[in-house]
Amino acid sequence: MRRARQACLWALLFAASSIDSGAAGCEPDLIAVNGRIYTVDPAVPWVEALAVCGERIARTGTTRDIEALAGPATRRLELAGRTVLPGFNDSHVHLTDGGTQLVEVNLRDARTPEETAARLAAYVKTQPRGRWILGGFWDHEAWPQKALPTRALIDAVTADNPVFVQRLDGHMGLANSVALKLAGITAKTPTPDGGTIVKDAQGEPTGMLKDNAMVLVTRVVPPPKLEEIIEKARAALRHAASVGVTTIQDMTQSGDQLRAYQSLRAAGQLPVRITSHQNRDIDSLVAAGIESGFGDDWLRIGGIKLFADGAMGSGTAALFEPYADDPTTSGLLIQSEQALQEKMRRADAAGFQLVVHAIGDRANAVVLDIIEKLEREGALRRGRPRIEHAQVVRDSDKARFKSLGVIASIQPSHCIDDMRWAEKRIGRERVKIAYDFKSFVDAGARVAFGTDWFVEPLNPMLGLYAAVSRQFPDGTPQGGWFPEERLSLAQAIEFYTAGSAYGEFTDDRKGRLKPGYLADFIVLSKPIFDVSPRELLDTTVVTTVVGGRVVYEGK
């Protein structure tokens, strides 16, 4: 009886059909048939087949109806009953850093300080003497003692190369003695505002630099060559296509990174789309009259990325009360409230969407206060301001996301990574308001999902699993961590597709599989609506299609 009811339901759902009137009479370039296509379109949530003309979907409906449109040149994609989703739109990625993780030393899964040093030693042997060793993305919270590393750990194996390897959150890094010397950092170096130079009992720098103090080293690192950036971007984009991410919203840190993306676009070598949020000074863009939305659907300018605070894993997220595990600090604001307000005002006036990093409850409140003030003054021209991460947010401030039209740009996999140490770091009471998913939904806020890759893996299946289970990959804790914050799978998919599209002003053409929308979709190895949450982790992408073109085929 249950199967009979399901069959009846599928028949009713597949009976629906939609047509793009602008594509009437088009002979499809591609048809995808005999599938279970979840459209994320409330009007027609499931269809069996779709037709593509050019880069857009022309029609959806039954296999019979769609096959009748095919002509001699039409390519046919046989779905064989597999589940199809809109391509994932990752709302927060550090693309070239992710590429660095793929092609250079990777310390993220090193489980001890000794293993970290050994990996660095092996990598240094493959590099020319004097070459800077960067990236790394270590995680001391995965080590037995959970203590921050020092230059003493790596000096002996890196004596011929300057090293500055970052923690996985990108908010602190470890410099060896060679790098400290090149940067001129000594016991007498003053700590910059919004940063920390960690020192030992004798007042000597340990090599650990947090947030704005990291600039003391990074400013003396030779800039990478454009060809190197292009190669990292290629590797990152290939990886994105392989895990079903069809749009990357990149936090672009330099003009050279943007030039690398432009080079790939000009050569027709972008397998996925890029929205480039500018995580850098905007003077040159403003002078050229460029605003959010400049470009095309393959490469376009997004908003301006600004920072309110640091990260909780680094102890630099700005909180109202001291950290539970270090009562001497409440974190820090990267810049003064006045300075942040002026940057936000200027960016909006120049036509840029506001994309503001805020993790701690104090930082989120500060950003919301500024948005409220600018809105009250009539100074918010662009609209759809975003807060990136929004990890620890008071309930009263969650309601302000809705009233102020602020998008919560959340990375759900942070939850199941950070819950290893979050309660120790901020205490039980504050953890109750941290990493909330459903509370934002209940408050009526707009939500966009992403990963923060390189910080977390780019694979959206891990994010879906985190959102619906709030469990470690091994299935613990039983029932989930604060299970009342779990989402349904349909909600999680929507935030990863249509929600992220709304967050970049492309919700009129991305995030749903309906006529007139871009033909960006993925075919999955498992029927994810019919399996247990843990089986999401074993679900792979069989095929990725972007703009009607197959850009990835799995084994």
Side-chain angles (χ1 to χ4, degrees):
M1 285 295 293
R2 182 172 180 268
R3 289 185 177 179
R5 286 196 301 269
Q6 285 182 328
C8 180
L9 176 61
W10 281 107
L12 289 171
L13 291 173
F14 286 147
S17 177
S18 298
I19 303 173
D20 177 10
S21 59
C26 160
E27 179 180 297
D29 298 296
L30 171 72
I31 60 172
V33 297
N34 293 314
R36 298 175 64 186
I37 302 175
Y38 184 61
T39 67
V40 193
D41 177 6
V44 186
W46 291 93
V47 296
E48 194 177 34
L50 58 80
V52 177
C53 288
E55 289 196 14
R56 295 185 181 251
I57 297 169
R59 182 169 177 173
T60 63
T62 67
T63 293
R64 180 178 178 180
D65 290 341
I66 298 303
E67 285 190 324
L69 303 175
T74 301
R75 290 169 291 132
R76 187 178 189 276
L77 178 60
E78 173 57 56
L79 300 174
R82 287 188 165 124
T83 298
V84 174
L85 301 178
F88 290 105
N89 183 333
D90 193 311
S91 67
H92 190 116
V93 171
H94 304 271
L95 186 65
T96 56
D97 283 331
T100 298
Q101 195 176 72
L102 294 173
V103 303
E104 296 191 8
V105 63
N106 183 5
L107 307 176
R108 192 185 196 285
D109 58 351
R111 288 296 175 256
T112 65
E114 293 75 19
E115 182 182 355
T116 300
R119 288 194 188 184
L120 267 175
Y123 183 74
V124 166
K125 289 178 181 178
T126 69
Q127 301 302 306
R129 182 175 182 174
R131 182 183 185 273
W132 277 84
I133 309 301
L134 305 170
F137 312 122
W138 46 269
D139 180 14
H140 68 291
E141 290 289 350
W143 302 345
Q145 303 303 319
K146 307 187 188 306
L148 290 175
T150 69
R151 56 183 165 138
L153 174 68
I154 62 173
D155 271 353
V157 297
T158 61
D160 295 328
N161 295 79
V163 174
F164 188 60
V165 285
Q166 296 182 47
R167 187 180 185 271
L168 59 86
D169 59 13
H171 286 268
M172 61 179 169
L174 174 64
N176 68 350
S177 292
V178 179
L180 290 177
K181 183 176 180 180
L182 290 172
I185 299 174
T186 68
K188 297 180 180 179
T189 301
T191 297
D193 292 339
T196 302
I197 301 174
V198 179
K199 298 180 179 180
D200 61 21
Q202 289 72 46
E204 294 294 329
T206 68
M208 185 58 55
L209 306 170
K210 298 186 178 184
D211 284 303
N212 285 352
M214 296 168 65
V215 177
L216 299 175
V217 170
T218 58
R219 68 187 180 190
V220 301
V221 177
K225 297 178 181 178
L226 182 61
E227 294 76 16
E228 294 173 335
I229 300 174
I230 290 173
E231 185 54 37
K232 290 178 180 179
R234 277 202 183 100
L237 293 166
R238 285 195 301 266
H239 179 56
S242 75
V243 294
V245 176
T246 58
T247 292
I248 291 285
Q249 295 189 39
D250 179 54
M251 305 298 148
T252 305
Q253 293 178 300
S254 71
D256 280 344
Q257 287 182 0
L258 185 55
R259 277 187 281 276
Y261 307 156
Q262 289 174 321
S263 176
L264 291 170
R265 172 70 181 103
Q269 295 176 359
L270 287 180
V272 304
R273 307 180 192 278
I274 300 176
T275 293
S276 178
H277 299 296
Q278 302 305 296
N279 183 14
R280 60 195 180 95
D281 186 77
I282 66 172
D283 286 344
S284 60
L285 295 173
V286 172
I290 294 173
E291 301 183 354
S292 289
F294 178 83
D296 61 21
D297 282 327
W298 283 97
L299 176 60
R300 61 192 296 276
I301 298 295
I304 292 296
K305 171 79 178 297
L306 300 169
F307 284 86
D309 66 346
M312 205 151 66
S314 300
T316 56
L319 304 172
F320 281 111
E321 302 295 334
Y323 280 82
D325 62 346
D326 185 2
T328 66
T329 181
S330 299
L332 53 85
L333 294 174
I334 297 295
Q335 55 197 309
S336 71
E337 295 180 36
Q338 183 61 33
L340 178 60
Q341 177 177 301
E342 288 310 307
K343 287 182 180 179
M344 290 171 65
R345 184 193 303 275
R346 181 166 174 254
D348 182 82
F352 287 99
Q353 181 186 20
L354 300 176
V355 178
V356 187
H357 167 115
I359 287 182
D361 52 3
R362 182 186 173 201
N364 276 274
V366 164
V367 176
L368 291 169
D369 286 345
I370 293 172
I371 290 172
E372 187 171 18
K373 185 175 189 296
L374 295 178
E375 186 175 83
R376 188 169 57 247
E377 296 173 355
L380 277 182
R381 181 166 73 95
R382 185 68 191 180
R384 299 191 190 182
R386 297 168 40 154
I387 291 183
E388 304 301 300
H389 311 305
Q391 285 184 359
V392 186
V393 183
R394 298 178 301 185
D395 291 339
S396 58
D397 284 334
K398 290 186 181 79
R400 289 209 288 166
F401 274 76
K402 162 67 173 176
S403 62
L404 296 172
V406 178
I407 298 164
S409 177
I410 296 172
Q411 301 75 45
S413 54
H414 276 315
C415 170
I416 63 170
D417 191 4
D418 296 359
M419 70 187 192
R420 292 174 292 134
W421 46 260
E423 188 169 339
K424 176 193 73 173
R425 183 69 37 88
I426 63 174
R428 182 72 176 177
E429 287 306 307
R430 274 183 298 196
V431 157
K432 292 178 181 178
I433 61 168
Y435 308 93
D436 288 348
F437 307 147
K438 192 170 183 297
S439 289
F440 277 106
V441 177
D442 292 343
R446 292 274 191 171
V447 177
F449 270 177
T451 60
D452 202 12
W453 188 54
F454 62 100
V455 179
E456 298 290 347
L458 184 63
N459 189 351
M461 289 298 152
L462 179 63
L464 295 182
Y465 171 78
V468 303
S469 74
R470 297 179 66 90
Q471 294 175 317
F472 292 120
D474 66 4
T476 61
Q478 183 68 34
W481 192 57
F482 296 97
E484 64 276 8
E485 291 295 334
R486 292 178 302 185
L487 297 176
S488 70
L489 182 60
Q491 287 173 314
I493 291 170
E494 180 177 3
F495 297 153
Y496 239 129
T497 54
S500 292
Y502 180 86
E504 60 161 359
F505 290 91
T506 60
D507 49 309
D508 62 339
R509 58 193 183 276
K510 283 186 190 176
R512 307 185 196 277
L513 298 179
K514 58 187 291 187
Y517 276 55
L518 292 166
D520 301 349
F521 60 91
I522 59 174
V523 184
L524 299 177
S525 65
K526 292 190 176 185
I528 59 173
F529 284 90
D530 302 329
V531 302
S532 67
R534 289 187 68 187
E535 288 185 77
L536 291 170
L537 298 174
D538 300 322
T539 300
T540 60
V541 173
V542 176
T543 306
T544 300
V545 176
V546 182
R549 177 169 59 95
V550 174
V551 297
Y552 172 78
E553 290 183 284
K555 296 179 181 179

